[in-house]
Amino acid sequence: MSYDPIAIETKWQQRWEERGTNVLSDEQLRTAERPFYNLMMFPYPSAEGLHVGNMYAFTGADIYGRWKRLLGETVFEPIGFDAFGIHSENFALRIGTHPMELIPRNVANFTRQLRRIGAMYDWNHTVDTTDPSYYRWTQWLFLQLFHAGLAEKKEAPVNWCPSCKTVLANEQVIAGACERCGTMVEQRTLSQWFFRITHYAQRLLDNLSWIDWSESTRKAQENWIGRSEGAEIRFTVASPWQATPHTAAADAVDRARAYHRAHPGAGEFEQHLEIPVFTTRPDTIFGATFLVLAPEHPVVGWITTDAQRAEVEAYRDRAATMDLVSRKKADKEKTGVFTGAYATNPANGAEIPIWIADYVLMEYGTGAIMAVPGHDERDFEFATQFGLDIRRVIAAPGESDLTPLEAAYVGEGTVVNSGEFDGTSTAAAPALMTRWLAARDAAEPRVNFRLHDWCISRQRYWGPPIPIIYCDACGTVPVPEHDLPVVLPQVDNYKPDESGVSPLARVEEWYRVPCPRCGGQARRESDVSDTFLDSAWYFLRYPSARRDDVPFDAAITQRWLPVNMYIGGEEHAVLHLLYSRFLTMVLKDLGHIDFEEPFTTFRKHGLLIKEGSKMSKSRGNVVIPDEYIERWGADTFRTYLMFLGPYQEGGDFRDQGLQGPYGLLKRLWDSIVPVAELGNEVIAPELERRLHRTIRKVTEDIAALRYNTAIAALMEYMNALREGGRAISRAEVEPLVPLVAPFAPHLAEELWEQLGHRDGIFTGSNWPAFDEDKARADTVEVAVQVNGRLRARLQLPLGASEAQAREAAQADENVCRFVGESAVRKVIYVPDRLLNLVVK
RNA sequence: GCGAAAGUGGCGGAACUGGUAGACGCGCGAGACUUAGGAUCUCGUGGGCGUGCCCGUGGGGGUUCGAGUCCCCCCUUUCGCACCA
């Protein structure tokens, strides 16, 4: 009987299904004593089907889960589908099939493929984000945030493609143009729903210090949150704003007033106009020679002089229509316009000009900066271009206040040209000067974050409707929880149009609704929510997926969460993982759960390339798992994927590479089948030693996700087993079955059965224990060096003393030759490893 | 520009806190069995020559008895973020 992977795999997939091997009962969910929640990032079910990247990710996670199970833990390993979103909708539009028809078809195909790869998914606890029984709770989540004051509606700029008539995400804008039609993208301002994730910025940052995550992922989040310490400094507008109120647009004045109300530090608007700026370098305040405001800054219309008005308006119009991506290009030439107004530098009383320029962003800090061209590269470039003053206020060691600046000096040094602060070091100056400015009521210390509030509105069709109703009498009214879900209606024409309003607004019978509060005529919010909201809480839903009366069962959640191991792609290092953390914190604060970090351990997996180059449809080198599985079997394919490189770094997929892992499985089959009927025999001492070393190595490597070296160790042992062509005993080969089981679960089950075990290998604690004593050898090879160069390798008893080692070394012919007549001046001895004789 | 990671045979990749570089696999070479199969098995496989020595981990310096590993400078690649004040 030869190894027939397809037959074995079919048999065991059927068995698992019949026996419910991978399914957790309600009882287990409620009472498991050693629960282990093993999670992988759920896929977006594309029409192309499961690709090898998905399979790589899932297999690596599955191996970990199966290993935990062999250790006797109760492992919950669910899978689901992240099927809402622009991605699916655009694809549906292109091929002309409605998403409500397309998605179930894709999900069915994915399910078939996922069953075939041999992962131990619990198919009784799946999640589909497009199912009303799921998004009902996504909407519930929105309401919790709304009631907590963490959801607010405000205006924000978006990318707009005038040809596709739709809002684009930043990732869909390539070099200023729409990725699909190539039309130049514009900026539009729409009123949208935001979650106040910025309120949690500090906590999201702080917790990074203790969660067990891949280092690169933690760093990415840290950078994304972007904490900066500095000061907010207020500059008074000196002139001539009083002279021009009649020419300012009324709404600009209103917005300026509102802005000043929101920034209490900005002073009394009617008496004197103050512009607050954020800086991380308050120690350079004496070098601030002009201010720059973002073009959309609310006070611009108010301070601009008549003489400059036309030019300023033209610049603002241009900035307003430019797309958000190309505007933020750093290598673009600096542009800007003088407003005609001046502000007073609170440090030295100097009157400095106020400019507007698009290199200053409204969404960061206060939307205005004090420009210090001497010590900021961007300001230096701007000042050089427009002939503005450049002042040195920091001197590097060896420089004086008179050394000319040829470029911005951004390093450390000593304060100069700054009155009483001259001579202070840049280490001490920021705090000192902030305090000094604060005493004059012109500044206070401030911490700023790069993180922005999370815009969850999408003016599209394929998503969960945001559960809000607008009533002329009652205003913004949340949909009562008992009215959830707000079901996404079946709409034939779901294509977005010119208006920038969601297609749902065109569905009269859905859009018009009585106000839940007063019963009067009202209308629904027609935007749907971001796909990232669906995926930000799905891990909470899985264990409770069979409950339809609550989003998550309290007792089950208590037992199973937070997730013990989460494995996924680095591409979700920020958005998905950050949003999940944020929502978990919110749910904790609202008393729904008792933990605030959703994933105790997170590990990123690497990316696969094909024969040295990136896999892509255009290259035509995308690996489709189905073909390989058909030819080699899922076990070989899984094992190969894990063998081709370190899991957390990815690797190169080469067709010929499957041969090696196939050989391992085949040889395992060939050596077990003949001994299956035999009882346990005595194991050869040398093999026993190697066996226990192999058990130790495989155990440690799997725990650390070093699957490639775990497989290599199995191969090594298999080679040793076959050495010399002698007969293999059952005791020598049987332990390999559980060791290989995480990688090749079908084969392992079959062999386990043939070895006479009645229960499946994954239903008990069948992972072999390693015995340190048995792993130990009597003798070890010790390297002998003379002057650091290898001259001999000696077999010495384990734990040999230095004297013994030296004696053995001096008896070696080659060693003698190199030592010669010289005296040994120094001896370095690392027991059981190395002896180095220094004779120089 | 900032951040992260990485450069090792023909190729994918091993090498724990500095201690025998190249495990394991692919490929290749030779042989066996075969009548021609993308099968299986055995042996060999970093380079060089004087066959036990020399040279070898992107390049150049350094520390050390000893460096792929640590330090400094440079080059290259990949991946994030990118005018964040």
Side-chain angles (χ1 to χ4, degrees):
Chain A
M1 194 167 46
S2 64
Y3 177 38
D4 180 354
I6 306 300
I8 291 172
E9 289 169 13
T10 311
K11 169 181 167 182
W12 283 97
Q13 281 167 13
Q14 215 172 326
R15 283 267 182 100
W16 291 334
E17 180 104 39
E18 288 161 10
R19 296 176 177 178
T21 307
N22 302 327
V23 170
L24 291 197
S25 62
D26 290 350
E27 174 72 11
Q28 280 174 304
L29 282 169
R30 211 151 285 133
T31 62
E33 274 177 31
R34 294 170 66 196
F36 191 91
Y37 190 166
N38 191 51
L39 182 67
M40 55 202 82
M41 289 182 177
F42 65 166
Y44 148 70
S46 72
E48 290 86 15
L50 186 81
H51 59 81
V52 74
N54 297 129
M55 187 163 164
Y56 184 64
F58 298 156
T59 301
D62 183 60
I63 283 161
Y64 197 81
R66 286 191 178 275
W67 174 63
K68 281 284 177 186
R69 194 134 177 206
L70 287 161
L71 287 172
E73 303 188 24
T74 305
V75 177
F76 179 51
E77 186 173 298
I79 192 74
F81 302 98
D82 187 17
F84 263 142
I86 295 182
H87 219 85
S88 310
E89 184 178 319
N90 284 351
F91 187 81
L93 280 168
R94 201 165 68 231
I95 65 164
T97 305
H98 197 279
M100 284 185 178
E101 195 180 313
L102 183 67
I103 292 299
R105 207 192 292 166
N106 293 354
V107 166
N109 186 41
F110 257 70
T111 304
R112 179 189 61 78
Q113 289 179 298
L114 286 168
R115 285 178 189 272
R116 185 66 190 87
I117 65 175
M120 50 170 211
Y121 297 129
D122 182 338
W123 289 104
N124 277 0
H125 295 89
T126 57
V127 144
D128 174 349
T129 55
T130 65
D131 191 322
S133 70
Y134 180 83
Y135 69 70
R136 166 186 184 180
W137 303 114
T138 308
Q139 292 169 337
W140 173 88
L141 203 56
F142 175 92
L143 293 178
Q144 306 313 302
L145 273 90
F146 177 83
H147 292 306
L150 290 168
E152 64 167 341
K153 204 170 195 200
K154 63 184 181 190
E155 301 230 310
V158 293
N159 293 304
W160 175 260
C161 172
S163 159
C164 299
K165 300 176 175 58
T166 184
V167 169
L168 300 177
N170 280 348
E171 303 79 53
Q172 296 175 296
V173 181
I174 312 295
C178 171
E179 71 168 350
R180 282 186 295 156
C181 66
T183 312
M184 289 309 288
V185 169
E186 297 173 356
Q187 193 183 127
R188 274 196 180 188
T189 299
L190 296 177
S191 177
Q192 319 201 63
W193 283 99
F194 285 82
F195 282 168
R196 294 181 153 158
I197 191 172
T198 50
H199 285 210
Y200 285 76
Q202 189 64 52
R203 200 154 142 205
L204 287 164
L205 186 65
D206 290 344
N207 286 7
L208 288 176
S209 66
W210 60 264
I211 53 180
D212 174 24
W213 283 27
S214 289
E215 180 58 24
S216 57
T217 311
R218 276 205 310 234
K219 259 285 182 299
Q221 291 223 342
E222 194 183 311
N223 291 340
W224 187 265
I225 295 166
R227 182 181 199 273
S228 307
E229 261 176 61
E232 186 169 297
I233 303 177
R234 289 179 292 278
F235 286 72
T236 307
V237 177
S239 68
W241 68 276
Q242 294 95 335
T244 57
H246 60 285
T247 57
D251 72 315
V253 176
D254 285 347
R255 276 195 284 165
R257 286 201 174 102
Y259 180 80
H260 274 249
R261 272 196 300 275
H263 290 74
E268 205 46 53
F269 178 75
E270 301 298 347
Q271 265 76 56
H272 64 290
L273 181 55
E274 283 186 339
I275 298 176
V277 305
F278 173 72
T279 179
T280 53
R281 293 295 301 275
D283 53 325
T284 61
I285 175 84
F286 285 86
T289 52
F290 53 99
L291 292 189
V292 188
L293 312 189
E296 51 287 69
H297 195 290
V299 306
V300 172
W302 186 237
I303 61 173
T304 302
T305 59
D306 288 341
Q308 293 299 104
R309 183 155 306 275
E311 214 183 326
V312 166
E313 290 303 330
Y315 187 82
R316 296 183 86 189
D317 287 347
R318 208 148 19 96
T321 52
M322 199 184 303
D323 76 280
L324 296 166
V325 175
S326 63
R327 172 173 162 185
K328 291 188 187 179
K329 263 238 166 72
D331 50 6
K332 186 184 87 180
E333 199 175 84
K334 298 266 181 298
T335 58
V337 175
F338 178 45
T339 61
Y342 291 83
T344 307
N345 183 330
N348 57 11
E351 298 231 325
I352 59 175
I354 305 174
W355 286 64
I356 62 171
D358 65 5
Y359 81 92
V360 175
L361 308 173
M362 194 58 220
E363 64 265 26
Y364 185 76
T366 63
I369 61 156
M370 65 176 206
V372 185
H375 306 285
D376 180 280
E377 283 161 14
R378 297 150 302 178
D379 298 344
F380 185 88
E381 191 189 331
F382 192 81
T384 310
Q385 194 159 333
F386 294 101
L388 298 161
D389 285 350
I390 300 173
R391 240 177 98 119
R392 175 188 280 278
V393 290
I394 306 290
E399 293 178 340
S400 80
D401 57 335
L402 297 174
T403 317
L405 279 158
E406 269 148 34
Y409 175 72
V410 297
E412 299 293 299
T414 310
V415 173
V416 295
N417 284 330
S418 301
E420 59 190 276
F421 294 98
D422 286 0
T424 316
S425 84
T426 46
L432 227 56
M433 290 199 182
T434 304
R435 215 173 308 140
W436 177 71
L437 288 166
R440 312 168 105 213
D441 197 27
E444 57 256 359
R446 162 86 81 233
V447 172
N448 237 312
F449 293 96
R450 231 192 64 131
L451 183 68
H452 295 153
D453 279 335
W454 173 15
C455 176
I456 60 138
S457 296
R458 295 293 180 272
Q459 294 72 41
R460 298 291 294 243
Y461 169 69
W462 192 234
I466 293 172
I468 288 288
I469 290 168
Y470 300 106
C471 168
D472 288 336
C474 311
T476 301
V477 181
V479 173
E481 284 183 20
H482 56 76
D483 285 347
L484 297 181
V486 178
V487 176
L488 179 70
Q490 157 93 45
V491 179
D492 288 335
N493 177 16
Y494 55 92
K495 202 176 167 179
D497 68 9
E498 184 67 44
S499 62
V501 173
S502 163
L504 287 175
R506 300 193 296 253
V507 188
E508 281 290 313
E509 64 281 12
W510 179 87
Y511 184 59
R512 303 276 168 203
V513 66
C515 169
R517 205 162 284 169
C518 70
Q521 269 281 335
R523 14 181 239 294
R524 287 191 188 280
E525 166 64 66
S526 57
D527 285 355
V528 298
S529 60
D530 183 7
T531 333
F532 278 109
L533 181 55
D534 304 324
S535 58
W537 75 281
Y538 75 113
F539 54 91
L540 276 165
R541 182 63 185 161
Y542 275 138
S544 304
R546 300 179 73 81
R547 293 288 302 272
D548 53 11
D549 52 336
V550 287
F552 38 86
D553 178 273
I556 291 177
T557 304
Q558 165 97 34
R559 184 164 294 271
W560 288 89
L561 281 119
V563 170
N564 299 88
M565 174 59 111
Y566 193 25
I567 290 180
E570 176 93 296
E571 69 273 20
H572 292 115
V574 279
L575 300 182
H576 162 63
L577 287 169
L578 196 66
Y579 295 153
S580 299
R581 296 181 60 214
F582 161 61
L583 283 178
T584 303
M585 284 177 189
V586 170
L587 287 171
K588 188 198 176 194
D589 289 351
L590 298 180
H592 293 287
I593 52 178
D594 60 4
F595 55 94
E596 66 179 55
E597 285 294 338
F599 316 121
T600 309
T601 301
F602 170 76
R603 292 290 178 270
K604 56 133 199 183
H605 62 254
L607 294 178
L608 287 185
I609 55 173
K610 176 78 200 291
E611 320 268 341
S613 47
K614 238 183 221 171
M615 275 186 223
S616 68
K617 262 185 273 178
S618 55
R619 261 183 242 261
N621 63 350
V622 177
V623 173
I624 311 294
D626 304 42
E627 304 160 11
Y628 290 86
I629 290 174
E630 222 170 288
R631 171 155 172 221
W632 297 93
D635 282 341
T636 294
F637 196 56
R638 288 166 58 101
T639 309
Y640 173 59
L641 286 177
M642 296 304 108
F643 180 64
L644 56 72
Y647 183 61
Q648 294 180 81
E649 280 157 48
D652 195 357
F653 187 100
R654 304 172 75 248
D655 288 351
Q656 288 182 316
L658 284 119
Q659 196 64 242
Y662 179 80
L664 172 70
L665 301 188
K666 183 191 175 299
R667 280 164 209 153
L668 183 61
W669 172 274
D670 289 343
S671 33
I672 291 222
V673 171
V675 299
E677 300 296 311
L678 305 175
N680 262 335
E681 300 162 43
V682 178
I683 184 166
E686 171 60 13
L687 279 175
E688 182 175 54
R689 189 176 72 82
R690 301 190 73 141
L691 176 64
H692 281 274
R693 292 188 166 191
T694 304
I695 295 170
R696 180 175 57 195
K697 172 103 179 115
V698 173
T699 307
E700 287 172 0
D701 282 354
I702 292 182
L705 268 48
R706 291 191 301 255
Y707 300 140
N708 56 331
T709 48
I711 295 165
L714 291 170
M715 289 171 165
E716 229 173 313
Y717 181 71
M718 180 56 76
N719 290 343
L721 211 51
R722 289 153 42 85
E723 231 161 61
R726 51 178 275 288
I728 295 167
S729 78
R730 176 175 169 145
E732 289 165 351
V733 72
E734 181 166 0
L736 280 183
V737 177
L739 289 181
V740 87
F743 303 99
H746 312 87
L747 173 69
E749 285 278 30
E750 178 63 26
L751 292 174
W752 195 246
E753 189 182 59
Q754 292 197 20
L755 285 164
H757 300 279
R758 290 182 52 216
D759 292 328
I761 192 168
F762 293 104
T763 54
S765 312
N766 290 316
W767 193 255
F770 73 87
D771 185 329
E772 201 64 65
D773 289 332
K774 289 180 178 159
R776 200 169 291 134
D778 302 339
T779 64
V780 282
E781 191 180 74
V782 173
V784 180
Q785 299 180 335
V786 178
N787 290 335
R789 310 201 65 116
L790 183 69
R791 298 303 174 195
R793 299 162 200 237
L794 302 175
Q795 280 297 326
L796 294 180
L798 189 76
S801 68
E802 181 175 327
Q804 279 175 287
R806 260 186 93 166
E807 195 181 329
Q810 273 155 0
D812 185 273
E813 192 187 333
N814 208 36
V815 172
C816 289
R817 205 149 59 81
F818 281 91
V819 173
E821 299 302 309
S822 330
V824 175
R825 301 170 59 112
K826 191 173 176 186
V827 178
I828 285 106
Y829 182 57
V830 183
D832 299 334
R833 289 219 76 134
L834 162 140
L835 177 74
N836 186 10
L837 306 172
V838 184
V839 298
K840 267 192 265 256

